[in-house]
């Protein structure tokens, strides 16, 4: 039997993304965002409030970074989500994190977070019902400690945080369940035979 839960955000998992940009003074503005998705092989869309200090900085500099928050840095990641850069001018310093300028775009790479997409602003899309920042990924950098022997990011080594919209918890992926483009092959073959 199913139970009706009413209107709520019922998407799980959501990534825990740390979005960062330089403001007009060269100060790092950074925030925790769960509302982000790839929208092409080299594009990412972030659904943000246009009044965030980080969003304003992105619109000014036309560049930003998106890092995957990890379990080892859960405290700073959460802090960047609960403290407002509009109210706390030195918010980033309070996180205890460090940043260095990207070699690809005019934006900060937060060195604590293990995987970072370095993006140029492609578009700020605004409609009656949404505001989105779309970035063109110019580079992805990763700490070697999270790479597999083949040089790809290993999700289990990464320990990326997953946001739980139901209970507002943070989780990490625990095990590989299957291989994409392989787990459904048997069903696809059966459907092709019957189709």
């Amino acid at each position: 039997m199913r139970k009706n839960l009413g209107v709520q955000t019922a998407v799980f998992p959501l990534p825990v993304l740390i979005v960062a940009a330089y403001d007009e003074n060269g100060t790092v503005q950074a925030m925790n965002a769960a509302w982000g998705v790839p929208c092409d092989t080299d594009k990412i869309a972030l659904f943000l409030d246009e009044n965030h200090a980080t969003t304003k900085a992105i619109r000014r500099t036309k560049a930003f970074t998106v890092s995957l928050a990890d379990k080892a840095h859960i405290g700073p990641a959460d802090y960047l989500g609960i403290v407002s850069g509009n109210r706390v001018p030195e918010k980033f310093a309070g996180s205890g994190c460090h940043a260095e300028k990207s070699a690809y775009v005019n934006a900060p790479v937060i060195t604590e977070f293990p995987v970072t997409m370095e993006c140029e602003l492609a578009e700020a899309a605004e409609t009656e019902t949404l505001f989105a920042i779309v970035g063109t990924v110019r580079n992805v950098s990763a700490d070697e400690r999270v790479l597999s022997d083949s040089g790809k990011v290993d999700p289990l080594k990464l320990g990326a945080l997953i946001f739980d919209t139901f209970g507002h918890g943070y989780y990490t992926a625990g095990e590989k369940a299957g291989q994409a483009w392989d787990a459904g092959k048997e069903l696809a073959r059966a459907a092709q035979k019957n189709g």
Side-chain angles (χ1 to χ4, degrees):
M1 176 184 256
R2 297 178 68 85
K3 180 179 178 183
N4 293 322
L5 302 176
V7 177
Q8 59 179 278
T9 305
V11 176
F12 177 84
L14 287 176
V16 178
L17 306 172
I18 305 300
V19 182
Y22 291 120
D23 68 14
E24 67 276 8
N25 301 314
T27 301
V28 175
Q29 295 294 335
M31 64 179 285
N32 178 323
W35 309 96
V37 294
C39 56
D40 202 342
T41 55
D42 69 339
K43 301 274 188 305
I44 185 165
L46 304 171
F47 301 93
L48 308 172
D49 186 299
E50 60 188 304
N51 294 314
H52 286 299
T54 305
T55 308
K56 293 174 194 172
I58 291 169
R59 292 184 94 167
R60 282 189 199 101
T61 61
K62 311 285 190 239
F64 59 99
T65 58
V66 180
S67 297
L68 303 180
D70 63 333
K71 184 178 179 182
H73 301 96
I74 192 171
D78 192 53
Y79 166 85
L80 291 170
I82 59 177
V83 174
S84 169
N86 288 324
R87 289 195 279 278
V88 179
E90 295 298 322
K91 169 185 172 178
F92 182 70
S95 73
C97 290
H98 305 87
E100 54 190 39
K101 188 173 186 220
S102 164
Y104 296 87
V105 298
N106 181 26
V109 173
I110 302 173
T111 58
E112 283 76 9
F113 298 115
V115 176
T116 301
M117 291 167 271
E118 301 162 53
C119 306
E120 286 180 353
L121 178 63
E123 179 181 5
E126 192 168 355
T127 72
E128 189 177 307
T129 57
L130 71 82
F131 177 80
I133 295 289
V134 179
T136 301
V137 179
R138 295 297 180 205
N139 184 54
V140 175
S141 59
D143 189 307
E144 290 181 359
R145 69 184 163 83
V146 302
L147 299 180
S148 67
D149 292 339
S150 64
K152 296 185 185 248
V153 174
D154 181 329
L156 297 180
K157 288 182 179 179
L158 177 61
L161 293 177
I162 298 167
F163 180 63
D164 158 31
T165 58
F166 302 107
H168 302 143
Y170 291 118
Y171 294 82
T172 58
E175 65 180 69
K176 183 174 181 178
Q179 186 66 37
W181 297 285
D182 185 60
K185 278 185 179 177
E186 228 176 274
L187 292 171
R189 279 193 282 271
Q192 194 173 27
K193 279 183 186 178
N194 297 330

